[in-house]
Amino acid sequence: MNKPLNLGVLVSGQGTNLQAIIDACQKGEINCRVSVVISSRQDAYALIRARNHGIPNFVVRKKDYPSQIEYEKAMIEILKNHGVELVILAGFMKVLSPYFVDHYRNRIINIHPSLIPAFCGKNLYGMKVHEAVIAYGAKITGATVHFVDENVDAGPIILQEPVSVDQDDTPESLAEKVHKVEHKLLIKAIKLFSENRLEILGRKVIVKEGDTVS
Ligand code: GRF
């Protein structure tokens, strides 16, 4: 067995995706360890999850730094100190600049609660995504895991899975259904990355042969 891949998870909220990652590491479903968690908010429940599992955790708030670059330098420093090899944005509500993206080029992945390129972009995040899906009358939504580039929700797509929108769905019920799918999809994507099975060819991510991932 190779050395576990060191993950750095960036969060802002509940951290159910973080929990899914921690659980998958513990169960040996992925050969990874969460080396560090960074939260953009002091009150994120994700921090409690990290503490419950003895994972080093930090709060890094943009407003405490004179510029975006200084803010990102502080996060990069922490990630480097913890030997992070893959950065996961798991409900991280801040936009990263090209400075950060360049540091971890093709080593940052994000989970988004819709089928990109639908219902995504700078102003659509968290619960707003599900509200927009229902307001539009869409019958299908889903989850997307993608590499992060300098544009919001725009990097090459790794995996997607659909979720049907039922007539009586509310943003809350839809969020719950999508969350369940997200937890599985994110783990699948991390597993593929850790097994070196993802190849980026322009906009396309090629999944190379290996053991089954389902
Ligand atoms: C998820 O729906 C994710 O797709 C979005 O923010 C939400 C975070 O949920 N980016 P959680 O904090 O992991 O529970």
Side-chain angles (χ1 to χ4, degrees):
M1 187 76 128
N2 294 336
K3 172 184 115 11
L5 186 78
N6 285 332
L7 311 178
V9 186
L10 272 51
V11 296
S12 302
Q14 276 297 309
T16 62
N17 281 289
L18 168 66
Q19 190 67 54
I21 299 168
I22 295 171
D23 294 347
C25 292
Q26 282 186 348
K27 288 184 201 151
E29 287 169 10
I30 48 175
N31 184 24
C32 301
R33 60 188 275 267
V34 180
S35 310
V36 67
V37 170
I38 300 178
S39 174
S40 64
R41 296 175 61 122
Q42 183 87 54
D43 60 353
Y45 186 73
L47 286 167
I48 313 269
R49 296 181 193 271
R51 284 173 204 144
N52 285 344
H53 292 273
I55 298 167
N57 54 92
F58 296 83
V59 176
V60 184
R61 297 182 305 185
K62 193 173 165 197
K63 64 179 181 187
D64 295 334
Y65 294 87
S67 66
Q68 177 74 19
I69 300 284
E70 293 303 320
Y71 165 61
E72 293 182 357
K73 275 186 179 165
M75 290 197 285
I76 291 168
E77 175 84 5
I78 294 170
L79 295 169
K80 278 195 177 153
N81 288 342
H82 290 81
V84 167
E85 296 160 287
L86 174 65
V87 179
I88 298 159
L89 312 186
F92 182 64
M93 300 299 183
K94 294 277 176 228
V95 174
L96 296 168
S97 82
Y99 179 81
F100 188 102
V101 174
D102 260 347
H103 259 83
Y104 286 97
R105 175 71 58 189
N106 297 340
R107 288 186 295 138
I108 313 171
I109 64 176
N110 181 46
I111 175 102
H112 182 79
S114 77
L115 292 177
I116 290 175
F119 303 106
C120 62
K122 203 164 180 262
N123 301 315
L124 276 184
Y125 51 86
M127 219 45 192
K128 288 186 184 177
V129 176
H130 308 297
E131 284 163 9
V133 166
I134 287 179
Y136 197 87
K139 305 285 189 198
I140 295 177
T141 182
T144 301
V145 184
H146 65 94
F147 282 109
V148 172
D149 66 10
E150 28 284 295
N151 301 307
V152 178
D153 296 334
I157 292 171
I158 302 170
L159 294 171
Q160 292 189 298
E161 194 170 318
V163 170
S164 62
V165 184
D166 296 325
Q167 232 143 255
D168 52 358
D169 263 326
T170 60
E172 290 73 23
S173 66
L174 198 53
E176 203 180 315
K177 289 198 285 189
V178 173
H179 252 125
K180 282 195 185 126
V181 169
E182 283 188 309
H183 299 159
K184 285 190 286 169
L185 208 64
L186 185 54
I187 301 307
K188 264 193 203 177
I190 296 171
K191 186 170 164 65
L192 288 169
F193 184 96
S194 71
E195 292 172 353
N196 220 358
R197 290 175 55 199
L198 299 176
E199 190 184 341
I200 305 177
L201 286 179
R203 277 219 52 84
K204 290 189 185 155
V205 177
I206 310 298
V207 178
K208 294 186 275 186
E209 285 300 311
D211 296 339
T212 147
V213 292
S214 55

